[in-house]
Each structure stands twice: as C-alpha cells, then as structure tokens.
Amino acid sequence: MRHAILGLLVAAKVSVAQPPAPLITGIPGEELGHSMVSADFDGDGLIDIAVSAPRHQLEGTYTNSGRVLIVRGGKGDLSERQAQWNARDGNCRFGASLGIGDLNGDRAPDLLVGAPGSDRARGEAFVLRGGKGDGEAAFGGDLRQAEVFLSIKGIQELGGFGSSIAVGDLNGDGLAELIVGESGVSVGTTKNSGRVWVFAGRKAWKSGTASLPGEGELAASLVIVGREGDSLGGRVLAEDVNGDGISDLVCSGITGTHAGVPESGAVFIWMGKKDLLSNSTLVLGKDEADYVVFGKGAGNLGFALASLDFDGDGKKELLISEPKRSVKGVKECGAVHAVSIGRIGPKCDLGAAELAGVVSRFGMAPHEGFGSSIWVGVAGGEPDLDLVIGAASAGRVILLEDPADLLLKESRAVVGPGNARGFGTSAVFAKDEKDGPGHLFVGAPAGVKVFRY
C-alpha cells in the first residue's frame, strides 16, 4: 500500500445522484440523523434502521433528552413500521452514540445506545436486546417506565459515559465484551483524559441497571485512561484488524495533542489476545498501546472508525477519518486513511512524507469535512463489501462499490439538497425490502432529515 493524495482528479469519474424527498423529517433542533446503524433487530430477515435525534425535547419539557427512531424493514405505510425509544429525562442526549453487536450470544444483533448527558453528564449506556420473541430493540419504549435488557450508569459528573459504545470478543473466548467510552472525564489531575471501560463477556448477562465501577457480574474488567487532552473514548471499535480471528480494540482520542498541536487526535490500538483483560487499569503515557496512529495539524483524527479488507488477504485495513485535515493549502478538506496493521510501526505519524502501510484519500474542497462518517457493508445484491464516506460540511456522500483500494476512482456521489444541512453526518445501506438490492440512508441532522435512495 502507499501513502497518496487523491483530490480533484476523482471528480470526472463520479456519477451524481439527486436526492428524493426526505424519508423522515424531524422536529427543528432535535438533530435527527445524528447517528444511524442498520441490522435485522426483529429477526424477520429484513434490515431495520435505527436513527437518533439526541437533542429531541421530550413532551415539551425536557430539553436535549433525545430519542432513537426505529424504521423496520418492509413495504407499506411507513408509520406502521416505525417505533421510538424515548429517554428518561432531560439533557440525556440519548442516542448521541449508537452501535450494534450480539452481546448475549443469541445470534441476534442488539442495539447499543449511549446517553452521555444523563444525570448531570455522568452518562449512561444501554443494551436493547434484538431478535424474535423477547427482543425489544425494534419495538420502542419509554425509558421512564420500560425495563430494558441492560443499562450501566456513569459515576463522574461531566464524564460523559456512553459517548461511544461497541461490542466484540477481545480475548478469543467466544464471548462478546461490552466497550463504553467516557470521553469527557478527567482522571485525577489529568484533565480531559477520557476513559474507556471494558466489561468482560459472559454466558448469561444479568439484566438490569448498574453503576460504575460496577458490582459483582457487571464489574469492569479493564479500564483505559487517556493522556491529558485526549478525550479518549470519543469513538471505540472492536474489529479483527490483524487477521488472527480475535477482535482488536481501537480507541480514539479525537482532541489529543501531537507535535504541540491540540486537536490533532490519536488512535490507540490493542491487539486482542487471551490475557488482554488481565490488566485491570491501563494509563496511557505509562502503559503503551500496541499501535498508535497520530494525526497531523488540528485534524481530529479518529472522528470515525471502521475496517475493510481491501485486498482480500484476510486482514482488514483500519479505516480512520480526519475530517478537519488540511492538505496542500486546501483547508479542512478532510481525509480518510486505510491503515494496514503489521505494516506500520508501533507509532505511526500521518504527517510523515513517506509512510508504508497507509493509503489516504483526501477531500476535494476547503471545509468539506470529508470523513464525517464511514460505513462498511453490502450495498446492493453482491456479497462483496462496499464503502460509504460522508462529507457533511459539503453535504455529500460517496459510495465505493467493492473497492480494491481506497483510491478507487469509479465512485458514486450523492449530494444533498440545500435545506439538508449536515447531509452525510451519518449514512448506512440496508436491504430493507425483500425484493430489490436495498437503499442508501443518509442523515442530515442540522436539517433534521433522513433521506433514502
């Protein structure tokens, strides 16, 4: 792989799709479309969409409470296929983060929801069980009354527990760990360090609500503390990026300082292994990650994370976005980097002139915000994985179909209308109907709209 720049040369081979009317229009100010995930939550064989509005005002009283809207796959009246999860109280920002994963091992995807503003920003993380029968994720509820499969409450005011959330088997025992970011916390005298909590997988999770640091079965097995200014845990990911069959832990410190520049960002990677959870606490600066990738300038490296095996060698490249990256005089055009773990050194500086093991694709215009979102999955009827990248400040997304390289020139761009501010902040593809290849869903939270193509 190579470190390369691709900018305006792409434009000639990009086909542009004009948007239809929005599928869903939200309430002004609620930021509908902030986050979005797709999975078959109800077990009917069709893909459902979960889309958040973290500043939703509950019943005209509770500001910034948040909601998560579920759109079940199928045809017919949209109102009959919608459900909604409402937050417990005001300022929760319920839905500020979303994730999917099978936490309880029933082979049905569960819906993961973060509410980092809950309880004076102590935060809370929720696992809503998917599947047929007792699955709850696809059918909505009011958290002021409804009991859910699992919720964990943060304990430090302004810590923002639930700022990110993911699931993955990090030690190869066949049981999925629950991973939760707490990006707003200061630990001891280390200001804005951020923190990541890992709860070991188990055969039977005890349903209910727990508070950090946890009691009994819900005690955390690993806590990782960031460096000063890192805001560690702004994003978390559990994916096998070295091909050994065990998920690796990837954590973003989006606001971290590098080379004296705040907001450069850094991404820390720990290889999954049998004894990964044996160290109860890791403190960055004293304890090292297996790999660290540093951003350049005030680019906010790690704003979005994903993985994709471009070359079919069985090892996924780690996709890292840097939406405020500037390059060759083009200010804040943004970038997405494909990093091959094992081909980079333990410390990888993306500002280096020559860099083995990294391919970089940059935005096309100033202040485009390329990399505001990344989605990997099957877009269409083919089994090969495709890649969608958002550029929210420019109001567009690009779709790379079955890419062999991040620099693939044949791509499709979807441009949002003028009133769809923030178009591309979130995007997923879903086979939401039995017949047909599926649809691309794009969120525009500043315009409180979700579009379907």
Side-chain angles (χ1 to χ4, degrees), residues 55-191:
R55 296 195 180 277
H56 177 71
Q57 184 169 336
L58 184 62
E59 295 182 352
T61 302
Y62 299 110
T63 60
N64 297 328
S65 56
R67 65 171 176 148
V68 174
L69 185 66
I70 309 295
V71 181
R72 294 188 295 274
K75 294 183 178 180
D77 191 341
L78 184 65
S79 63
E80 296 180 359
R81 295 188 285 114
Q82 286 187 9
Q84 179 172 303
W85 285 97
N86 289 322
R88 283 200 176 117
D89 51 35
N91 295 314
C92 281
R93 292 191 293 121
F94 179 74
S97 64
L98 294 178
I100 53 174
D102 179 12
L103 184 66
N104 58 357
D106 63 356
R107 299 185 180 181
D110 304 312
L111 176 60
L112 318 174
V113 185
S118 178
D119 189 18
R120 298 181 65 85
R122 289 177 174 86
E124 190 167 4
F126 297 85
V127 179
L128 308 176
R129 184 171 43 209
K132 295 181 179 179
D134 58 359
E136 60 200 0
F139 303 103
D142 190 328
L143 293 176
R144 292 170 295 179
Q145 291 93 30
E147 294 291 331
V148 299
F149 175 61
L150 179 66
S151 70
I152 305 175
K153 294 184 176 182
I155 56 172
Q156 188 158 331
E157 192 170 309
L158 303 180
F161 183 77
S163 53
S164 61
I165 187 166
V167 162
D169 179 9
L170 302 177
N171 59 1
D173 65 355
L175 303 173
E177 278 69 58
L178 175 64
I179 306 149
V180 184
E182 188 184 18
S183 63
V185 74
S186 296
V187 178
T189 59
T190 308
K191 295 182 178 179

Side-chain angles (χ1 to χ4, degrees), residues 32-33 35 60 63 73 119 146 172 213 234 377 425:
L32 180 72
S35 297
T63 60
D119 189 18
T425 298

Side-chain angles (χ1 to χ4, degrees), residues 358-377:
V358 177
V359 169
S360 300
R361 181 167 183 155
F362 292 83
M364 296 163 55
H367 305 287
E368 184 176 34
F370 185 69
S372 56
S373 60
I374 305 174
W375 176 86
V376 173

